[in-house]
Amino acid sequence: MWMEQKAAVLKSRAWIELSAANLRHNVSCLRVLLPKGCELMPVLKANAYGHGAVPVAKLLQKMGIRSFCVATAMEGIELRKNGIGGTILVLGYTHPEQFRLLRRFRLTQTVVDFDYAQVVNQFGRAIRVHIGVDTGMHRLGESCENRNRIRHILSMRNLRVDGIFTHLCADDTDLPQDKAFTARQARAFSEVTKELRKQGQTPLKTHILSSYGLLHYPELGGDYARMGIALYGVLSKPGDLDRCPADLRPVLSLKTRVAAVKELEAGESAGYSRAFIAKEKTRTATLAIGYADGLPRSLSCGAGHVLINGRPAPVVGQICMDQTIVDVSDIPGVTPGDTAIVIGGYGQKIISVCDLATQANTISNEILSRLGTRLERIVV
Ligand SMILES: *Cc1c(COP(=O)(O)O)cnc(C)c1O
């Protein structure tokens, strides 16, 4: 759900606010870092890392961005149906039954390896593709060692090969072994692309950088930088943002409302399995958000907290599917309808996605990408 009217917020039980200003700011900061001739290719997979693919794509389109990545054909179709133009590259696997949709919605498909290229070719009608090259991640892509196979893919009759790319898998640290591995990946990719150029296949677009790649190895160049997490003003692990060469600002805040306030006597319990038992008189607030909205259940029993009136309210007992109980004993005057901040800031107090990820023992990317579709998304 996406509503542009601020009024919608007032009626919402739980919602995401997208800061258009921060997204614009991140785009300009990242553009400064781009190598010469390289364009941003925002990654809008998983509903734009939970932000809402359609509103984010619309904002980016207004900033002049004309190339996007998604993980699945269905994600690409959603963007097309909402008026997003330009190139949309599907980074993941598409079933042959859906090849006709690639054509119908003018999507560009990743060739995940040589065998898949043959399957795409057998479709019998032209499909636009970028060739994925595996330089060491061993996930998708034809092996960089199989130059003949890659050349063969280029000559397949029904493939319109617009680009070729690889993905770095150890570009997020400055450990010497990771730097050496990244250098090997980059060299392997550049050898493949150089050879293809020699064969007169020059117009092929190349790309190798994603968020950490652009921040740490901008010199690797390419025609596109596939920007995911950094574009949203977040990095995967704590501390990375402090060391980052760009002044990235978080685009997303997650807010919910107090549905009810209760007074518990000592010995009374709250929530499923009676996981919380009050040691003393305790005031709780029940929030209208739960794990079905993407709030990790591992934040239960005090592992996580929210901000109400700028003060921390720790989670009490087990997080439920649609509700979460927090302790507001120390926050005077909490009333049903009040706003609670799950991700975001209130004055000097901030709960970042990274804080939540650390508390839930995961990375920011997972927290964001699991934010539920039933949350309303509004652009502020
Ligand atoms: C998800 C993904 C990206 C974006 O990665 P970030 O680290 O979020 O920038 C880029 N390329 C590929 C192939 C991906 O799967």
Side-chain angles (χ1 to χ4, degrees):
M1 252 178 287
W2 173 40
M3 271 163 267
E4 254 174 314
Q5 312 89 319
K6 273 197 193 170
V9 173
L10 303 175
K11 297 178 202 147
S12 199
R13 53 119 207 148
W15 68 99
I16 283 169
E17 288 176 13
L18 300 173
S19 163
N22 285 4
L23 183 65
R24 212 172 295 118
H25 172 87
N26 295 340
V27 165
S28 16
C29 286
L30 292 169
R31 275 178 169 155
V32 169
L33 296 180
L34 284 177
K36 211 166 175 302
C38 185
E39 242 179 80
L40 282 186
M41 194 189 214
V43 179
L44 304 177
K45 64 191 183 191
N47 204 19
Y49 292 49
H51 290 61
V54 171
V56 169
K58 286 190 171 175
L59 289 169
L60 292 169
Q61 197 160 255
K62 275 192 213 143
M63 298 171 209
I65 288 172
R66 299 288 296 154
S67 307
F68 304 94
C69 299
V70 292
T72 71
M74 290 307 153
E75 290 176 339
I77 291 169
E78 191 200 4
L79 294 179
R80 286 289 191 240
K81 284 186 170 167
N82 285 279
I84 305 304
T87 300
I88 300 181
L89 173 63
V90 178
L91 294 169
Y93 172 83
T94 300
H95 192 280
E97 292 277 309
Q98 296 185 334
F99 286 165
R100 65 197 165 79
L101 296 174
L102 295 175
R103 279 178 57 90
R104 182 157 146 219
F105 291 95
R106 304 179 319 284
L107 304 177
T108 305
Q109 173 60 43
T110 293
V111 166
V112 306
D113 61 15
F114 181 75
D115 293 345
Y116 190 74
Q118 289 187 309
V119 175
V120 176
N121 191 40
Q122 277 156 19
F123 178 64
R125 304 184 66 192
I127 291 182
R128 289 193 177 276
V129 299
H130 283 204
I131 301 173
V133 177
D134 180 7
T135 53
M137 184 170 187
H138 298 142
R139 185 175 69 173
L140 293 180
E142 181 53 47
S143 168
C144 56
E145 280 157 25
N146 298 336
R147 307 272 184 85
N148 287 338
R149 289 179 142 208
I150 294 172
R151 267 201 311 276
H152 186 167
I153 294 173
L154 274 162
S155 70
M156 289 180 183
R157 192 158 174 260
N158 295 314
L159 302 192
R160 295 288 170 272
V161 184
D162 293 334
I164 184 161
F165 71 97
T166 194
H167 195 44
L168 303 174
C169 57
D171 56 358
D172 61 332
T173 82
D174 55 7
L175 297 174
Q177 62 269 35
D178 287 345
K179 285 178 153 171
F181 190 86
T182 302
R184 283 203 295 281
Q185 283 194 281
R187 199 173 329 111
F189 183 61
S190 109
E191 278 165 12
V192 169
T193 54
K194 242 187 247 150
E195 180 178 317
L196 296 178
R197 270 205 201 96
K198 259 193 248 147
Q199 315 220 329
Q201 308 277 4
T202 358
L204 276 191
K205 302 276 192 192
T206 67
H207 41 115
I208 182 167
L209 302 174
S210 53
S211 294
Y212 280 95
L214 177 63
L215 298 175
H216 296 158
Y217 302 96
E219 69 279 6
L220 296 182
D223 296 297
Y224 296 117
R226 303 183 305 269
M227 266 317 100
I229 194 76
L231 187 72
Y232 305 105
V234 175
L235 287 175
S236 303
K237 299 174 271 90
D240 287 354
L241 214 48
D242 308 325
R243 291 188 289 270
C244 171
D247 164 39
L248 300 173
R249 298 179 188 167
V251 173
L252 174 144
S253 308
L254 173 60
K255 300 181 181 179
T256 183
R257 288 202 189 276
V258 173
V261 176
K262 292 182 187 290
E263 304 280 349
L264 304 189
E265 296 298 331
E268 287 188 309
S269 67
Y272 285 123
S273 312
R274 307 190 64 214
F276 173 81
I277 312 260
K279 288 197 184 71
E280 56 199 335
K281 240 181 179 335
T282 303
R283 199 148 32 84
T284 63
T286 304
L287 307 177
I289 191 167
Y291 59 75
D293 298 300
L295 191 62
R297 192 166 172 276
S298 58
L299 299 184
S300 294
C301 302
H305 68 275
V306 300
L307 296 174
I308 300 178
N309 299 334
R311 318 246 311 245
V315 175
V316 150
Q318 301 286 2
I319 293 177
C320 307
M321 193 180 289
D322 321 300
Q323 262 88 225
T324 298
I325 305 171
V326 295
D327 186 340
V328 294
S329 305
D330 296 335
I331 312 174
V334 176
T335 318
D338 282 357
T339 300
I341 297 175
V342 183
I343 297 169
Y346 185 106
Q348 296 300 307
K349 284 254 174 2
I350 293 170
I351 300 177
S352 70
V353 182
C354 229
D355 295 337
L356 229 65
T358 306
Q359 290 158 0
N361 193 24
T362 183
I363 58 170
S364 310
N365 311 46
E366 184 180 359
I367 299 285
L368 288 172
S369 66
R370 291 166 79 109
L371 293 175
T373 48
R374 71 182 187 183
L375 295 165
E376 286 169 55
R377 269 105 180 147
I378 58 145
V379 178
V380 296

